Amino acid sequence: MANVVKTSSLYRFLSHKRKVKALYKKSLRHLEAWCVNLGPGEFCYERTLLRARFDQNKDIQDETKAAQVLRLGEEEFWESQHVMPPVFTNSPYGGVMYERFDKYRIDEYYTDLWANEEKAMFPDYLAKKEEWYKIREKVWPEEMKELEEWDKKNVEQGVPMSDKFPAAKSSDGYPPFWWRTVTRPLMRPSRMKWYPRTGQVY
């Protein structure tokens, strides 16, 4: 369990780009809630101004200044958020269907427990998964070495700590923790209930 991150600390590990996208999406949804009774024209006008504000700061190269702008934007969103924003049914923040199908949500390594006739129905996926695992075991020492060099370089240059990971050293290389995205658990993997061999549904 050493690689488990607390939910309260997960935000610290998100990239700056992802945080900005999340802020823009939240702002757009809450703006829609504020303009719901004003007509579509008012909402189109306000969301155009909102997008212009984000585009105004998209080319900031200084990481410290970009983080400061993001923090100010999040503070402004918190002060201006709607009291009853729209909530999607599958949203973990008040969605009425959140985790309704949790019984079908299993980790992808459960596919190793499938019978041979079930595995035969997904030959491409299982072959890729085995290949990913072999690559992960092979490049793991290189990923850790790359992270150590990245941290040492930042300390020597006096760069503030951030959640940014280094890119791959080569165009066809593997960045640190690439396999967490490639082999992420499937949301609802399930065994096929229909077998072409028998045509039986159960």
Side-chain angles (χ1 to χ4, degrees):
M1 303 292 289
N3 60 344
V4 175
V5 180
K6 295 190 301 183
T7 305
S8 58
S9 303
L10 186 61
Y11 183 79
R12 297 175 53 247
F13 293 88
L14 299 179
S15 64
H16 177 80
K17 182 178 181 180
R18 186 170 178 181
K19 292 178 182 179
V20 173
K21 288 184 176 181
L23 176 61
Y24 176 71
K25 185 176 181 179
K26 291 189 299 183
S27 303
L28 197 62
R29 293 300 179 189
H30 283 247
L31 182 62
E32 182 182 6
W34 281 114
C35 299
V36 65
N37 295 324
L38 302 179
E42 185 69 21
F43 173 62
C44 292
Y45 175 74
E46 293 294 338
R47 74 181 181 187
T48 302
L49 297 180
L50 177 66
R51 181 56 185 263
R53 294 185 62 186
F54 275 82
D55 290 341
Q56 185 179 2
N57 301 308
K58 68 178 182 180
D59 296 326
I60 298 178
Q61 301 296 331
D62 188 1
E63 295 183 2
T64 303
K65 184 178 180 180
Q68 178 71 8
V69 172
L70 176 61
R71 184 181 66 82
L72 294 176
E74 291 176 339
E75 291 180 357
E76 181 180 350
F77 166 79
W78 181 260
E79 296 176 355
S80 306
Q81 62 181 329
H82 197 271
V83 293
M84 294 183 63
V87 179
F88 293 98
T89 56
N90 292 323
S91 173
Y93 307 104
V96 295
M97 290 183 58
Y98 177 63
E99 293 185 343
R100 178 174 295 184
F101 300 99
D102 222 30
K103 61 180 180 180
Y104 301 114
R105 191 174 302 169
I106 60 177
D107 292 328
E108 54 86 20
Y109 65 80
Y110 272 90
T111 56
D112 298 333
L113 306 177
W114 288 2
N116 292 332
E117 57 185 359
E118 294 171 325
K119 291 182 178 181
M121 297 182 181
F122 306 93
D124 296 337
Y125 169 74
L126 294 176
K128 289 181 179 179
K129 190 182 75 167
E130 293 297 331
E131 182 180 354
W132 291 332
Y133 283 176
K134 292 179 181 179
I135 295 176
R136 182 181 67 175
E137 295 178 0
K138 180 180 178 181
V139 303
W140 174 255
E142 300 178 3
E143 295 179 32
M144 294 296 99
K145 182 179 179 181
E146 189 174 349
L147 283 175
E148 293 176 359
E149 295 176 353
W150 174 263
D151 292 338
K152 181 179 179 180
K153 178 181 177 182
N154 290 336
V155 171
E156 293 176 350
Q157 295 180 356
V159 178
M161 296 296 294
S162 65
D163 53 8
K164 184 178 179 181
F165 283 117
K169 292 184 177 180
S170 58
S171 59
D172 57 347
Y174 298 92
F177 303 120
W178 62 271
W179 48 269
R180 290 189 176 181
T181 302
V182 176
T183 61
R184 64 186 182 277
L186 301 176
M187 291 302 296
R188 296 178 187 173
S190 60
R191 303 178 180 181
M192 295 184 66
K193 298 181 179 181
W194 180 76
Y195 283 85
R197 177 172 52 84
T198 59
Q200 179 182 3
V201 179
Y202 66 97

